[in-house]
């Protein structure tokens, strides 16, 4: 069984995000970048399936700038076998990403595609669902447990009311949630080995995919600073403030 895992290069989650002065986007100059945390979980799950003898090959794919090779090398150091970079400097929105991934899936023919449920930079939470629709494959999102047996995957997923268990036939799309696993740290020997693992770079045009953006960003601003709390003397005062100041009732 071949597994395909999509990973994204994002601003490290420990870094405070700064908005550009002209409000056109986020400042990426001299900012530490790393693999999207949900994608780390996806890579870890794929590697565990391989270690359990269920999968025979783990292929990681990323879409974006040339520096995304660093993210792919991290995934290779974690235990993936091969990497593919669809290199472009253009802005990639979820639909374009899903279309590019579909083209890669058509070429690689994996039995299972695992993605993080969302990227921490745009928080769109759309790519996995769009990819499943384009491929017409079953999907299980927000997975907190995955069991693969034969031609079926049993996925426990987190929903508002608790947990839901789905059985999906393979091939399928799975998106990972935080509690699925704890990603491993890449050891120094594996980091060195990762440098010798194959990493192919391809162009979006070779996949025949239109990546033109469908959405336009009008402006990017920081959220308003949080105001200090106040104490009220009675329920009547609370209701009055909620009605007149917060305007929520």
């Amino acid at each position: 069984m071949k597994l395909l895992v999509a990973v994204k290069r994002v601003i490290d989650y420990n870094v405070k995000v700064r908005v550009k002065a002209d409000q056109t986007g986020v400042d990426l100059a001299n900012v530490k970048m790393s693999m999207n945390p949900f994608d780390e979980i996806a890579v870890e799950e794929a590697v565990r399936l391989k270690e359990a003898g269920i999968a025979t090959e783990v292929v990681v794919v990323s879409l974006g700038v040339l520096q995304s090779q660093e993210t792919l090398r991290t995934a290779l150091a974690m235990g993936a076998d091969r990497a593919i970079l669809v290199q472009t400097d253009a802005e990639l929105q979820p639909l374009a990403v899903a279309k590019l991934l579909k083209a890669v899936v058509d070429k690689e023919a994996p039995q299972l595609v695992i993605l993080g449920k969302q990227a921490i930079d745009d928080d769109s939470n759309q790519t996995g669902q769009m990819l499943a629709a384009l491929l017409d494959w079953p999907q299980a999102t927000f997975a907190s447990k995955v069991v693969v047996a034969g031609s079926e995957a049993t996925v426990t997923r987190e929903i508002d009311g608790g947990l839901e268990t789905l059985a999906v036939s393979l091939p399928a799309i799975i998106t990972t949630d935080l509690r699925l696993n704890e990603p491993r740290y890449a050891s120094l020997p594996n980091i060195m080995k990762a440098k010798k693992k194959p990493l192919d770079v391809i162009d979006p045009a070779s996949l025949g995919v239109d990546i033109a953006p469908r959405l336009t960003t009008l402006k990017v601003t920081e959220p308003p600073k949080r105001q200090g709390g106040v104490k009220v003397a009675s329920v009547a005062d609370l209701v009055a403030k909620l009605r007149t100041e917060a305007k929520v009732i």
Side-chain angles (χ1 to χ4, degrees):
M1 177 187 294
K2 179 191 290 188
L3 305 183
L4 185 74
V5 183
V7 298
K8 185 177 183 181
R9 180 177 183 262
V10 299
I11 295 178
D12 189 88
Y13 66 91
N14 287 314
V15 173
K16 178 175 172 54
V17 176
R18 300 189 306 271
V19 175
K20 292 181 179 178
D22 58 3
Q23 297 185 332
T24 58
V26 173
D27 187 5
L28 299 179
N30 301 315
V31 173
K32 180 183 178 183
M33 309 291 285
S34 61
M35 188 188 304
N36 180 49
F38 291 104
D39 297 342
E40 285 185 332
I41 295 170
V43 174
E44 175 65 26
E45 191 65 20
V47 172
R48 290 188 185 190
L49 289 171
K50 182 185 175 185
E51 291 173 343
I54 296 171
T56 56
E57 184 182 25
V58 176
V59 181
V60 289
V61 58
S62 188
L63 306 93
V65 297
L66 183 63
Q67 291 87 340
S68 296
Q69 290 190 29
E70 302 170 7
T71 306
L72 290 170
R73 291 295 180 193
T74 299
L76 293 172
M78 290 175 66
D81 301 295
R82 186 160 53 87
I84 301 170
L85 172 62
V86 182
Q87 183 183 340
T88 176
D89 292 330
E91 176 192 0
L92 292 177
Q93 295 176 352
L95 181 59
V97 173
K99 288 181 176 180
L100 288 170
L101 288 177
K102 179 186 181 298
V104 174
V105 169
D106 290 340
K107 181 179 178 181
E108 292 290 330
Q111 284 70 54
L112 183 62
V113 179
I114 308 178
L115 311 88
K117 71 172 184 179
Q118 65 193 77
I120 63 171
D121 52 0
D122 57 19
D123 276 333
S124 292
N125 185 13
Q126 295 175 340
T127 301
Q129 294 88 331
M130 287 179 171
L131 178 59
L134 291 172
L135 289 169
D136 196 22
W137 284 9
Q139 61 176 305
T141 56
F142 316 142
S144 60
K145 183 179 180 181
V146 176
V147 178
V148 179
S151 61
E152 186 177 87
T154 303
V155 180
T156 302
R157 58 190 302 268
E158 300 189 357
I159 59 175
D160 290 341
L163 299 176
E164 177 184 53
T165 302
L166 301 177
V168 294
S169 58
L170 302 181
I173 306 293
I174 293 176
T175 69
T176 62
D177 213 332
L178 282 174
R179 280 157 288 280
L180 178 58
N181 59 51
E182 183 71 28
R184 70 192 66 189
Y185 288 101
S187 64
L188 181 58
N190 287 337
I191 292 174
M192 300 306 293
K193 291 177 183 177
K195 296 180 179 180
K196 298 181 180 180
K197 291 184 178 180
L199 193 161
D200 298 325
V201 180
I202 58 179
D203 186 83
S206 67
L207 298 175
V209 176
D210 176 18
I211 61 173
R214 265 67 174 178
L215 305 173
T216 301
T217 301
L218 300 180
K219 67 176 180 178
V220 178
T221 60
E222 293 189 10
K225 294 189 180 299
R226 189 171 181 177
Q227 302 297 317
V230 296
K231 291 183 179 181
V232 294
S234 65
V235 174
D237 289 345
L238 173 61
V239 172
K241 286 184 175 294
L242 290 175
R243 180 178 291 118
T244 60
E245 295 182 16
K247 300 185 185 303
V248 295
I249 61 174

